[in-house]
Amino acid sequence: ASQDEVIKQKESLSNELRCLRVELQQVRDDRDRQVTQMQALTAEIVKYKEFTGKSCAELDNLTIKSNALEETCSSQREHIRTLQHQLTAANEKLKMADLSASETRTEFEEQKRTVCELQERLADAEFQLIEGEKLRKKLHNTILELKGNIRVFCRVRPLLPEDGVGTEATVIAYPTSTETLGRGIDLVQSAGQRYPFTFDKVFSHEASQQDVFVEISQLVQSALDGYKVCIFAYGQTGSGKTYTMMGRPETSVQKGLIPRSLEQIFQTSQSLQAQGWKYKMQASMLEIYNETIRDLLSTNRSSGLDMSRTENGAPGKQYTIKHDVNGNTHVSDLTIVDVCSINEISSLLQQAAHSRSVGRTQMNEQSSRSHFVFTLRISGVNESTEQQVQGVLNLIDLAGSERLSKSGSTGDRLKETQAINKSLSSLADVIFALAKKEDHVPFRNSKLTYLLQPCLGGDSKTLMFVNISPDPSSVGESLCSLRFAARVNSCEIGIPRRQTTVKPMDNRLSYG
Ligand code: ADP
Ligand code: MG
């Protein structure tokens, strides 16, 4: 039994052992599987670790990048904000600008309207001015017609260093009372004797060439309107006749009436072109020396001073004066030059100055012993109105008016002086005869008066400058000049009329 028991036990144990062995095998298998699994997992872990390392580096990189980007981003955000600020400011400004632009536009419109209005008013005013100017001219002419006399202007030249006196030795005074202001002149002799004179205008030594010209420009203008105009300069040698008439043509301030008149005539004739006027001008220049006409523009003259000894200017030339029925004067053989520009005139003036004979007296070696006559014939045609005008402008620088003793003349000079005195007294005779309306006017008594016959009296406008020297040693001559001028000033010699061919005119100028 016990053996059985034990066998039984042994059997059960063997069984158990078998079971356990199986179990063990199972566990071993299991372990192996686990080991493999673990190995796989380890490998996987390694792989993952590697991967993770890479990722970390990458992450670091990315973090840096992202930081940088964030920085950029924030700075850009800042930038955007400032830009936005600026934008709003700009918008604000734009709005303001728009506002002010529209304001400006309205203002502009308003101003445009004002300008238009002003322009209209200006045009109106200009029109009125032109009308007024026309009226003024008409009235001016009417006044001259009513006055009908020769106008006389007196001009006193300044004291010159060569006069050899100080300014304290004043012999000229200008009355200041209102009725003679600018028209009166008193000559005071050393004894205190005072001789008052009044003229149409008195120019003191302070008057400039322009001041003088302003007063005669109207007269020059009337030559363009078809009048015959004579402007004389009378006075003793050295009193400023040549300065007044010619001055220094090359300087703008000192040029005299002749260059200024020509300039004005050219300018006005050009501006009248707009109204349809076409002008043609012809100039001649002559001098009358010892009752002989000499052509100052002749090109075939021999040298100037020699010629002054020849009685007849260029040989074979007669220079005969003739007047036609229309009151136009012709001098045979006289050079007549068509002038189209002011430049031509100035070269003519130079040519004339060169050929002018100049004598010497004790008083002024530049003094001219001849009468200088510049004549500008102006003929104008208006194509739209078919009006024609023919004007003449004579500018005459007379020879010195001094009496014999003062020039200390003998011989040839005596003859010259006598010729001058004769022709000046003939001029006076003509003026006084015209004034007295005498039947016979002695135009033919001298070449000068005969030459100027159509331009003296009747149809013409005459102005005489009496030039006065303020030098105390000239008081005697000045008194003579002023007395002569005063007599001339009191003359009424007719009514100036213009020569036009639209209305037929009666030829009432037949004195000679
Ligand atoms: P005239 O021709 O009467 O003999 P001028 O015209 O030759 O006299 O003048 C004599 C001098 O006086 C010249 O030297 C001239 O320059 C000078 N003269 C004349 N008038 C004036 C003036 N208004 N202003 C300055 N100088 C003058
Ligand atoms: Mg002179």
Side-chain angles (χ1 to χ4, degrees):
S2 100
Q3 203 187 354
D4 274 347
E5 215 31 44
V6 169
I7 286 170
K8 250 189 180 170
Q9 239 177 351
K10 187 198 139 201
E11 253 174 43
S12 111
L13 278 172
S14 285
N15 254 356
E16 203 170 323
L17 179 70
R18 225 179 310 155
C19 265
L20 278 172
R21 269 202 183 121
V22 170
E23 215 168 297
L24 177 69
Q25 191 60 39
Q26 259 178 2
V27 166
R28 262 191 196 140
D29 282 353
D30 216 14
R31 187 205 65 189
D32 281 351
R33 229 185 313 126
Q34 294 284 354
V35 166
T36 336
Q37 208 175 356
M38 200 193 66
Q39 271 170 349
L41 281 174
T42 313
E44 213 166 302
I45 283 173
V46 169
K47 218 170 78 189
Y48 274 116
K49 258 190 195 152
E50 216 174 281
F51 201 69
T52 310
K54 257 195 221 161
S55 294
C56 268
E58 225 164 87
L59 182 68
D60 280 352
N61 248 346
L62 285 176
T63 315
I64 290 169
K65 260 191 207 164
S66 111
N67 280 349
L69 282 175
E70 241 161 52
E71 234 164 73
T72 327
C73 186
S74 76
S75 84
Q76 288 197 344
R77 208 169 292 135
E78 197 61 32
H79 198 69
I80 285 172
R81 207 169 323 161
T82 49
L83 283 178
Q84 259 165 355
H85 274 304
Q86 279 175 8
L87 183 67
T88 28
N91 270 339
E92 200 65 27
K93 248 191 221 166
L94 185 68
K95 225 182 281 167
M96 300 263 284
D98 270 350
L99 214 72
S100 76
S102 75
E103 248 170 52
T104 313
R105 204 167 302 132
T106 36
E107 219 168 273
F108 173 70
E109 295 291 331
E110 239 167 66
Q111 292 198 344
K112 222 159 93 179
R113 226 172 302 129
T114 326
V115 167
C116 277
E117 239 177 70
L118 286 177
Q119 265 170 347
E120 254 165 51
R121 271 165 61 183
L122 183 69
D124 249 26
E126 262 169 6
F127 177 74
Q128 275 176 17
L129 190 72
I130 289 171
E131 290 296 299
E133 179 61 18
K134 274 189 204 155
L135 187 67
R136 197 188 66 79
K137 251 189 221 167
K138 223 174 100 189
L139 290 177
H140 177 81
N141 281 327
T142 315
I143 288 173
L144 287 190
E145 277 170 21
L146 290 176
K147 274 176 89 180
N149 61 350
I150 296 190
R151 286 190 301 154
V152 176
F153 289 176
C154 175
R155 186 182 195 186
V156 182
R157 75 154 162 79
L159 268 174
L160 300 172
E162 54 267 36
D163 289 336
V165 282
T167 40
E168 73 279 0
T170 48
V171 293
I172 307 283
Y174 305 98
T176 49
S177 69
T178 36
E179 68 267 28
T180 52
L181 191 65
R183 294 178 51 234
I185 179 169
D186 292 354
L187 191 75
V188 188
Q189 265 190 339
S190 51
Q193 180 88 19
R194 189 176 270 263
Y195 300 93
F197 294 91
T198 49
F199 298 104
D200 292 297
K201 186 94 199 162
V202 171
F203 296 99
S204 78
H205 61 275
E206 284 171 336
S208 68
Q209 298 282 60
Q210 176 63 19
D211 294 339
V212 175
F213 178 69
V214 164
E215 293 296 325
I216 67 137
S217 65
Q218 194 66 49
L219 203 55
V220 171
Q221 181 63 37
S222 40
L224 272 176
D225 295 340
Y227 285 94
K228 292 192 171 76
V229 177
C230 276
I231 301 178
F232 292 96
Y234 179 96
Q236 72 179 119
T237 299
S239 58
K241 298 183 297 298
T242 307
Y243 184 87
T244 299
M245 279 303 180
M246 193 65 84
R248 303 198 176 102
E250 63 285 353
T251 68
S252 65
V253 178
Q254 295 202 71
K255 62 187 168 203
L257 299 186
I258 292 177
R260 281 173 204 268
S261 303
L262 293 171
E263 272 167 29
Q264 179 184 319
I265 282 176
F266 275 106
Q267 272 163 17
T268 317
S269 68
Q270 255 155 30
S271 63
L272 284 173
Q273 269 178 13
Q275 294 169 27
W277 283 102
K278 275 213 178 105
Y279 283 97
K280 199 177 140 208
M281 330 242 183
Q282 293 181 314
S284 62
M285 276 186 242
L286 58 85
E287 70 179 354
I288 300 173
Y289 174 80
N290 276 353
E291 283 303 290
T292 309
I293 289 183
R294 294 146 43 90
D295 183 359
L296 293 178
L297 296 180
S298 169
T299 42
N300 57 2
R301 287 168 47 123
S302 44
S303 76
L305 269 178
D306 288 349
M307 294 312 299
S308 68
R309 297 282 159 264
T310 318
E311 276 297 301
N312 243 345
K317 303 253 162 127
Q318 291 305 310
Y319 303 116
T320 320
I321 303 167
K322 284 211 178 77
H323 305 297
D324 69 17
V325 285
N326 295 323
N328 295 319
T329 306
H330 303 281
V331 181
S332 61
D333 294 328
L334 186 70
T335 312
I336 292 181
V337 182
D338 288 317
V339 279
C340 312
S341 79
I342 193 75
N343 294 341
E344 282 175 284
I345 284 279
S346 51
S347 69
L348 282 184
L349 294 180
Q350 271 168 10
Q351 195 187 333
H354 278 300
S355 47
R356 192 165 177 201
S357 73
V358 172
R360 282 164 201 273
T361 69
Q362 286 174 359
M363 297 185 59
N364 178 355
E365 58 172 20
Q366 285 278 302
S367 82
S368 172
R369 312 301 297 146
S370 59
H371 306 302
F372 167 76
V373 183
F374 173 90
T375 305
L376 189 72
R377 254 169 265 276
I378 304 165
S379 52
V381 187
N382 193 320
E383 281 170 350
S384 45
T385 63
E386 286 179 17
Q387 209 177 7
Q388 281 187 12
V389 294
Q390 271 177 332
V392 184
L393 178 65
N394 290 295
L395 297 157
I396 302 127
D397 183 356
L398 292 171
S401 63
E402 56 273 12
R403 291 155 301 171
L404 258 186
S405 57
K406 195 145 191 188
S407 296
S409 309
T410 51
D412 274 353
R413 283 287 172 272
L414 181 68
K415 208 176 128 206
E416 274 181 3
T417 311
Q418 282 169 340
I420 292 164
N421 287 348
K422 182 170 165 274
S423 64
L424 286 177
S425 61
S426 298
L427 179 62
D429 291 344
V430 163
I431 291 171
F432 300 142
L434 286 171
K436 286 188 215 135
K437 303 200 169 26
E438 283 174 6
D439 289 339
H440 176 71
V441 180
F443 283 115
R444 284 179 184 267
N445 281 2
S446 78
K447 278 268 160 52
L448 181 71
T449 48
Y450 189 51
L451 176 74
L452 296 175
Q453 179 176 345
C455 301
L456 289 171
D459 260 359
S460 66
K461 298 190 181 187
T462 306
L463 175 73
M464 185 172 279
F465 273 92
V466 54
N467 286 94
I468 297 293
S469 159
D471 177 4
S473 68
S474 297
V475 166
E477 284 300 333
S478 298
L479 190 57
C480 281
S481 294
L482 289 168
R483 280 180 171 153
F484 172 76
R487 280 184 69 199
V488 170
N489 203 191
S490 64
C491 284
E492 289 184 17
I493 59 170
I495 297 164
R497 283 184 308 124
R498 60 196 291 208
Q499 186 173 343
T500 65
T501 49
V502 164
K503 287 185 219 151
M505 47 175 283
D506 53 331
N507 278 318
R508 59 185 287 279
L509 118 115
S510 311
Y511 287 108

